[in-house]
Each structure stands twice: as structure tokens, then as C-alpha cells.
Amino acid sequence: MSQQAIKFAYWVPNVSGGLVVSKIEQRTDWGIDYNRKLARLAEAAGFEYALTQIRFTAGYGAEFQHESVAFSHALLAATTHLKVIAAILPGPWKPALAAKQLATIDQLTEGRIAVNIVSGWFKGEFNAIGEHWLEHDERYRRSEEFIRVLKGIWTQDNFTFKGDFYRVNNYTLKPKPLGLPHPEIFQGGSSRAARDMAASVSDWYFTNGNTPEGIKAQIDDIRVKAAANQRSVKVGVNAFVIARDTEQEARAVLQEIIENADVEAVHAFGDAAKQAGKSSVEGEGNWAKSTFEDLVQYNDGFKTNLIGTPLQIAQRIVALKALGVDLVLAGFLHFQEEVEYFGRRVLPLVRELEARRLEELTPA
Ligand SMILES: Cc1cc2nc3c(=O)[nH]c(=O)nc-3n(C[C@H](O)[C@H](O)[C@H](O)COP(=O)(O)O)c2cc1C
């Protein structure tokens, strides 16, 4: 088990409709005032990272969407030590522009910007903005080149790259980012292509929620592949957290979310997401095994089962850490209230259990 304290990120609600496709009341707002306050609450609560989302069109309950890079900068300006991960979609973004844009934000915020390269699953969105839609594994091949170009521009002078998707000729970015060796690079996806890309070029691999067995299988696979490339990759797992004083209350909230699911929107989202994954070589993808209930949370967050009392949740988080998880990416129903509760009630227990475990592992 890693001796590093497990880290926490929260999903930034920069898209309307919250994190569940349900008509249940969500006291969460996608606007900037709500989000600035949330970011401050989160850093005070002990969250290290905030993850923004990128969407270009309305789909499945997300009618309004703020752009991720601009929004990330606004949150960084409102905080002092939180790191914000800006989601970037190769296709609409070109890597030289992204490198320049993020280097400037990095300079303005003393190295607090990071990036999540998302390879895309929403064909309708690409059609809507006139971007060519690549098949599944081609999307990852392009994303891998995107990341190689980002790193090259961020770390080298006179950088040249000749790929199938991108070309760079003797380019020197000035100023380069302050963060060393460059802003951290996250990525999402669970397919074979996603894992191969993580093992080759990413610093962090984000996966959808899953059972401990499912998470362990992915971690083992990635770590073996990364070691073969003389690299190491850190792992973040998505979870929809429902922490309440009693387990009964927490389970009742989950049931209410599912009972109020927006059935049409869940099916539409599930169809698009599963279709995108089917075009992978192995015919799988992030959502291949997701049931209707799983899909009510966009990234299978119920499956991770951080639903219960603060102690139950803290114990499950420490168990995830023992499997090799480095970060928990948390979504909530009522973000501001629940981020505050998580920081006050759950996080201290996690730190206590981690310290106890470390003592047990340290020879007297
Ligand atoms: C934590 C996380 C965050 C993601 N954020 C976005 C996002 O903001 N926008 C988006 O279009 N896709 C997002 N994705 C989707 C992935 O980039 C990827 O397209 C999807 O997971 C398909 O993966 P697959 O190759 O395993 O099927 C995210 C995925 C994960 C796991």
C-alpha cells in the first residue's frame, strides 16, 4: 500500500443538471458564484483537486455547459491552493493552442492547472460542431499524439513532431509552464485503448466507478503495462458519495435518486455511451457492463459504493487505497453541503485509518 495519503478530487458542476440523470432535487448549481464558493469550501475541506467537464451541446439532462478551460481559470483565481483539472477534447482543441493556453494559466496561478484529456464518446456532439468523428481506437491514437505534443512543447525548445494527426516544426514555447516537469496529465476511459494510452503517456488514469475486483483488475493491468514502458501511472477512481449519519438514510437517498431517474435521458445516454465503446477492438468500453441503475450516474459512480456512514465510507476508501488507488474523484447530490460534510466527517476518519495502517506496517 502506498504510504502517500490518498488524494481527493471533486467533479466541478460546470454543466447543468448535476451528476445524476434524475429528477430528484439537487441543490447544486452550474453557475460561477455557486462554483467559486464550492471551490473554496472544497479546498478548506481538504480536497486537492477539482475536475471540470467539457461538453459542447446539451445532452441527457445537461442543457447548459460552461467551457472547461475558462471555467478552470475562474476557479483558480478564486482559490489559493486547490489544483483545477481542465478537461480538453482533442478534435476541437489543437495541441499547440492547448499547450500555450494552459502554460499561461499555469504561470498566472503558480502551477495549479492540470489537464484531463478526454477522448470523447458523444458522436452527436462532434456532428453538431462540425468535427470529424473518429472510430474508438483512432480517437485514442489521436489523444496519445495530443499528449506527446503537449509534453514536447512544454518541456523542449525547438520541438518537432511528425504524427498522423499533428505536426509541429521546430517550435519553442515561451514562457513554459512553472509546474515541473509540466502540468499533470490526467485521462479518462476504461477500454483497452484507454489503458494502453495511460501506460504510454499519461500521469494519471481516471476510471469510471467499479467494484473493488473490477478496479483491482484495471490497476494491475495498467501497472504491468506502464512498468514495461519504464513508467508509473497513478490511478483515480470515480465515486458518487452519499454520506449520511446512518446507513439507512444514505441508502434511502440512493433509492430516491434511482426511483426518480429520467428514464428517457438515461436510455439515450446509455445508448450513445455504449455505442461509442462498441467500436473499440474488444467491443467494450467504459460503460460496457453498466446497468440502467449504474447509468443514472454518468460515470458508474454508485458501483464504487461510497454510500453509508462516514466510518463505512472511510473504511472503503482505505480499502481502495490498499488496492493501489491514489485518488478518489467524488460527485455529490448537493455539492456545497456535502463537500463540507465530507471534509468534516469523512476525511478525518480516512486520515486516522491511514495513520493506523501505517503504524501496523512499520516495524517497531
Ligand atoms: C473521470 C472521467 C472524466 C471524464 N470527463 C469527460 C468530459 O468532461 N467530457 C467528455 O466528453 N468525456 C469525458 N469522459 C469520457 C472519457 O474521456 C472517454 O471518452 C470515455 O470514458 C470512454 O472510454 P472508453 O474508451 O473506456 O469507452 C470522462 C471519463 C472519466 C472516467
Side-chain angles (χ1 to χ4, degrees), residues 11 53-54 118-121 136 140 189-191 206 208 285-286 329:
W11 284 92
Q53 310 165 53
I54 182 64
V118 302
S119 294
W121 54 271
H136 183 272
Y140 281 96
S190 308
S191 56
F206 265 140
N208 270 11
N286 231 352
L329 168 63

Side-chain angles (χ1 to χ4, degrees), residues 124 158 202 222 263 283 316 328 354:
N158 307 108
S202 305
I222 283 198
V263 176
R316 289 179 199 143
V328 170
E354 281 181 315

Side-chain angles (χ1 to χ4, degrees), residues 289-303:
K289 300 187 183 80
S290 307
T291 62
F292 177 88
E293 282 77 14
D294 296 333
L295 290 164
V296 176
Q297 203 290 306
Y298 289 112
N299 290 85
D300 281 355
F302 304 140
K303 270 191 180 170

